[in-house]
Amino acid sequence: MQVTPEEPRCPFCYHKIEQPKELPSRKIVEFPVGVCEHCGVVYVYDATGHNMGSAFIEAILFACNDDDSLAFSLSYGDDYTDAIVGNYDIITHTIVPEKVYNERYVRGALIFVKLFDEFRKVTEQQVREKSKKMLPITKNRLRSETFSKELVRQYASENRREELIALAEEDTRVMNELKRMLYTTDESLRWQVIDMLGEVGNKVSAKRPDIVSKLLSNLLQSAAAPGASAWGSLEAAGAMISATPDLLGEFSPALLSFLQHQDLRKELTWAIGKIASVRPDLVRYAFRALWSFLGDTDPTVRGYAAWALGNIGYADVIEDLKKLETDDERLLLFRDGRLEEATVALLSKESIKKINKPQ
């Protein structure tokens, strides 16, 4: 018996929903989004079904009218709930019975987020108004005839940034290939790739902010995955935010949420320090956590924390930084485009001097 496709419906109110659309100007939102006309539930379309974590982040941010402080403070079950509808074909706007439909492989999913009453009332009107400005999907992938994985790796390995940036502006696959290079065992090369992701992301964002924000979402998702090794993901996120703070600064609260992960202190502290060197206001809420890191048993964490606190600039930590002026434990710190050897004492003295410097 042949089963026919069904029109997609909201899983909460069961009314028919419209095809997801795109905003005319976007920052964080990369995935097409929609709003149920009947109950106001927000839904986001993930074409592959493999990026549902990133899609969920964007759905809850959109539902909160891009108020990241609200979005990242909500608790599942108490403040919101969600649902997933699979086998969604955006071309026909139907839920298909099989993975293959009309000789096409359908992997799409719709991720729904429903805020509970007190939160929905705060944002619903603005979200509905924003949805009226959305446009049908017209997104095109950028492709260059000269692109190859080998060419990207060659440019990155040889630090040929101008050519890498030029290629990235022509082909949307370049940044994803750089992300894959974070898994190199060559520490020096990994730091160069981290730095390049910030620089390349800054240039690409002028034409395709959606590509850059999607990659940043994926980096944070990679680091958050249970049992996953960060492999430069948090540092790359910090480099990208610091390079394009006006666009990507909205991701800072999501980055700071990793402060609860003790095994990621080193990576996160460097990322915070990198952002603080450009926009300390974006990471000022990490101040007390970094202050406590000055007593960490890992000298790299202590050194990174001293450096980051100097970039944030609050004088409260000066007395504790002075206690580290005799700490000669060595570490490697990537800054100003190179990996350099330093001591905890040196970084503490530099930060004291920076904090005391007249504004």
Side-chain angles (χ1 to χ4, degrees):
M1 178 178 177
Q2 186 175 5
V3 182
T4 58
E6 300 178 355
E7 292 182 289
R9 295 177 178 269
C10 173
F12 297 105
C13 70
Y14 304 106
H15 282 72
K16 294 177 183 179
I17 58 174
E18 292 185 347
Q19 185 184 54
K21 298 179 181 179
E22 294 183 319
L23 292 171
S25 61
R26 294 166 298 175
K27 285 192 176 181
I28 288 182
V29 178
E30 143 68 13
F31 299 91
V33 64
V35 178
C36 176
E37 292 185 351
H38 182 75
C39 70
V41 163
V42 167
Y43 51 96
V44 163
Y45 168 62
D46 173 19
T48 66
H50 295 306
N51 295 311
M52 288 192 284
S54 299
F56 166 77
I57 289 176
E58 296 189 3
I60 199 165
L61 280 166
F62 192 82
C64 292
N65 194 33
D66 293 329
D67 184 340
D68 48 15
S69 297
L70 172 61
F72 293 114
S73 68
L74 299 179
S75 299
Y76 179 79
D78 295 326
D79 306 324
Y80 74 92
T81 188
D82 57 17
I84 298 172
V85 174
N87 282 25
Y88 173 68
D89 179 27
I90 198 167
I91 295 176
T92 60
H93 186 50
T94 57
I95 306 300
V96 300
E98 304 291 342
K99 289 293 185 181
V100 178
Y101 180 66
N102 287 347
E103 300 184 349
R104 287 182 291 103
Y105 190 55
V106 177
R107 299 178 295 175
L110 294 173
I111 296 86
F112 293 78
V113 170
K114 178 182 180 180
L115 301 187
F116 292 157
D117 288 345
E118 62 177 301
F119 299 105
R120 179 180 56 80
K121 291 176 182 177
V122 173
T123 62
E124 184 176 19
Q125 185 59 40
Q126 297 95 320
V127 169
R128 286 186 181 276
E129 288 298 319
K130 191 182 295 185
S131 70
K132 295 177 182 177
K133 301 176 183 178
M134 295 190 297
L135 304 171
I137 298 171
T138 57
K139 179 170 41 181
N140 295 315
R141 295 179 177 180
L142 299 177
R143 293 292 183 260
S144 169
E145 293 182 359
T146 60
F147 171 86
S148 71
K149 295 179 180 180
E150 294 73 21
L151 185 60
V152 174
R153 290 175 177 271
Q154 179 185 347
Y155 285 166
S157 300
E158 297 174 2
N159 203 21
R160 294 162 61 179
R161 300 197 179 204
E162 289 186 5
E163 290 113 317
L164 189 62
I165 290 170
L167 184 59
E169 289 177 321
E170 296 176 356
D171 199 299
T172 55
R173 293 172 290 183
V174 171
M175 295 198 69
N176 280 326
E177 193 57 36
L178 286 174
K179 177 178 178 286
R180 293 187 185 95
M181 289 187 68
L182 291 173
Y183 291 90
T184 179
T185 57
D186 184 334
E187 184 177 8
S188 180
L189 176 59
R190 187 187 309 119
W191 280 112
Q192 290 293 344
V193 171
I194 288 167
D195 199 42
M196 288 173 191
L197 276 168
E199 191 172 346
V200 172
N202 176 266
K203 297 295 184 182
V204 173
S205 66
K207 294 181 179 179
R208 291 297 302 270
D210 54 309
I211 295 295
V212 179
S213 61
K214 180 179 179 181
L215 178 67
L216 183 47
S217 291
N218 288 341
L219 287 169
L220 294 173
Q221 283 296 124
S222 297
S229 175
W231 282 99
S233 294
L234 293 180
E235 297 97 316
M240 292 177 67
I241 294 171
S242 69
T244 318
D246 291 342
L247 174 68
L248 302 177
E250 296 173 346
F251 283 92
S252 297
L255 180 69
L256 296 185
S257 69
F258 286 90
L259 284 167
Q260 61 185 309
H261 297 267
Q262 187 171 353
D263 57 334
L264 295 175
R265 280 185 176 181
K266 180 173 66 175
E267 296 84 353
L268 179 61
T269 303
W270 184 90
I272 293 171
K274 179 67 173 175
I275 297 169
S277 68
V278 178
R279 284 283 301 277
D281 60 297
L282 293 176
V283 290
R284 64 181 183 274
Y285 294 117
F287 172 72
R288 292 198 174 277
L290 294 178
W291 194 348
S292 70
F293 292 176
L294 294 177
D296 199 276
T297 56
D298 186 339
T300 300
V301 174
R302 295 198 302 274
Y304 284 1
W307 170 65
L309 286 165
N311 290 339
I312 291 176
Y314 291 158
D316 308 53
V317 297
I318 287 179
E319 291 304 314
D320 284 324
L321 287 172
K322 286 181 177 179
K323 295 176 183 177
L324 297 178
E325 288 183 320
T326 57
D327 188 338
D328 292 325
E329 291 280 2
R330 296 186 175 276
L331 63 137
L332 293 175
L333 173 65
F334 187 89
R335 59 177 174 176
D336 301 325
R338 65 189 184 91
L339 193 61
E340 62 181 54
E341 188 175 66
T343 64
V344 177
L346 173 64
L347 295 173
S348 299
K349 291 173 183 177
E350 287 181 357
S351 288
I352 293 171
K353 185 177 180 180
K354 188 171 184 178
I355 293 171
N356 284 329
K357 186 177 179 180
Q359 299 298 317

